[in-house]
Amino acid sequence: MTEPNSDRRAILSVAAMLGTLAVIVIVWVAVGMMHAADQRGPAQPAAAPPSAAGFTPPAADSIPEGPMGDSIRRGEQYFTQTQTYAAQFVGSGLQCSNCHLDGGRQANSSPMWAAWGMYPAYRAKNDRINTMEDRIMGCFVYSMNASASPAGMPPPAGHDIYRDLESYFAWLATGAPVGVEMEGRGFLTLDPPANAYDPDRGELVYQEQCSVCHGEDGLGQRRDDGTYDFPPLWGDHSYNWGAGMSRIANAAGFIKANMPFGSGMSLSDQDAWDVAAYVDAQERPRDPRQTGTTIEDTRQRHHASGDYYGQVIRGDLLGDGVVSVAP
């Protein structure tokens, strides 16, 4: 009869032999992999994914404490209550979050988590490399119509408004890839409509689908304190002719994905194009780039295609800043 200690010694001996064999196999595989890598040349970085579908920004209640958290919270206030917290530099009836819905979170409404990692970047609009601060300044100039603000200008370069807004955008983009064209960035891209687009058809869509919020006259719903529950889509207090939303394709993509509010993707593509054409065929504040030049010169330089600036629609020369409806 074999003693228990002898059995234990035999088991340990076999285990040791197996362990040695395992080490030999691992070393052999590693050497083989190194040899293969040598044959291929230096290792290349992994390719970035083509998109980041399904990205979710951090929860609203997860803003950290401390100075960084304070800056993020101020940035959120500037973004969602622009007329109140940045009133000195706002000459329109819009908040940033009117176009960048859900506080800059909603896909296909130019969400800030998708924009943050794409700057600095060249923009043909001003023919230079833009930083994120430049981009925000442009939004004040055009969408917020800063020339009509109490300051008569956007926040000057280096202003804390930019610092706080950038803190907010960076926080929204927590975990997002850098330099990757993320799914949901910007506005939805629609194919050109089969039936072209028509402001007259769009007026019917507008009155049926949009007027309940933005008013039959397009001037929005204004509170007693001068701010808006729903923003004006044209007139003296809307975005000016230099804003991205004055381009019919941008407006159509935004409308298709997000309007009527809470019922995005409910309009047909044709209706989205038509109602965008109707909205953008209305007069609004002047393009601030039209300085010392004629409307035609400005049209040739900045509006050669894509919008109605400088064209006569329903007897009105668009771009002269003369609004045909009462503010």
Side-chain angles (χ1 to χ4, degrees):
M1 182 175 182
T2 306
E3 295 182 0
N5 285 340
S6 298
D7 289 342
R8 189 176 297 111
R9 283 195 296 271
I11 291 170
L12 291 174
S13 177
V14 171
M17 290 174 63
L18 291 174
T20 300
L21 287 172
V23 170
I24 291 171
V25 170
I26 291 171
V27 170
W28 179 78
V29 170
V31 169
M33 292 174 67
M34 291 171 62
H35 176 72
D38 288 341
Q39 298 302 311
R40 291 192 302 267
Q44 299 299 315
S51 68
F55 176 79
T56 302
D61 60 0
S62 66
I63 297 175
E65 297 301 323
M68 189 64 192
D70 294 340
S71 180
I72 292 168
R73 290 183 182 88
R74 288 193 300 269
E76 183 178 29
Q77 288 179 322
Y78 287 133
F79 196 81
T80 59
Q81 301 174 69
T82 322
Q83 296 174 55
T84 299
Y85 289 97
Q88 182 181 1
F89 304 107
V90 175
S92 73
L94 278 68
Q95 324 271 19
C96 299
S97 56
N98 287 143
C99 296
H100 311 273
L101 299 179
D102 192 19
R105 294 169 172 272
Q106 188 159 313
N108 296 316
S109 65
S110 200
M112 304 321 300
W113 46 261
W116 173 252
M118 300 302 289
Y119 287 88
Y122 173 79
R123 297 190 75 218
K125 182 172 184 175
N126 55 13
D127 191 27
R128 65 188 179 95
I129 302 299
N130 284 220
T131 65
M132 179 55 77
E133 179 174 307
D134 294 328
R135 192 71 177 88
I136 299 169
M137 184 182 292
C139 288
F140 273 101
V141 169
Y142 301 116
S143 296
M144 298 299 163
N145 198 33
S147 60
S149 70
M153 58 182 286
H159 196 286
D160 281 347
I161 282 179
Y162 299 122
R163 188 170 289 111
D164 291 336
L165 282 169
E166 289 180 85
S167 295
Y168 178 55
F169 300 166
W171 174 75
L172 284 176
T174 301
V178 174
V180 176
E181 187 75 25
M182 299 174 71
E183 186 175 328
R185 184 190 176 203
F187 302 125
L188 198 65
T189 300
L190 298 180
D191 291 332
N195 249 347
Y197 47 75
D198 181 357
D200 291 332
R201 288 197 307 260
E203 182 175 13
L204 300 177
V205 180
Y206 179 87
Q207 295 300 336
E208 182 178 312
Q209 300 286 347
C210 314
S211 62
V212 66
C213 292
H214 298 286
E216 292 184 7
D217 54 8
L219 301 184
Q221 293 189 28
R222 195 173 189 178
R223 305 186 188 106
D224 291 339
D225 64 1
T227 61
Y228 286 81
D229 285 316
F230 294 96
L233 300 183
W234 59 83
D236 284 334
H237 300 288
S238 189
Y239 50 89
N240 67 44
W241 279 107
M245 201 61 81
S246 71
R247 295 185 62 83
I248 297 167
N250 287 346
F254 175 81
I255 291 166
K256 171 69 178 182
N258 302 292
M259 295 292 133
F261 189 67
S263 300
M265 306 303 286
S266 62
L267 296 178
S268 70
D269 288 6
Q270 184 68 61
D271 282 351
W273 277 105
D274 288 341
V275 75
Y278 173 68
V279 169
D280 281 341
Q282 312 300 320
E283 191 58 275
R284 57 193 64 259
R286 286 176 178 267
D287 186 331
R289 296 170 294 187
Q290 185 193 334
T291 56
T293 59
T294 66
I295 290 176
E296 179 58 22
D297 288 339
T298 306
R299 188 186 76 80
Q300 291 290 340
R301 185 173 181 184
H302 300 294
H303 302 271
S305 64
D307 62 38
Y308 286 128
Y309 181 94
Q311 299 184 43
V312 176
I313 304 293
R314 296 180 172 182
D316 184 16
L317 174 62
L318 298 177
D320 60 6
V322 178
V323 179
S324 58
V325 291

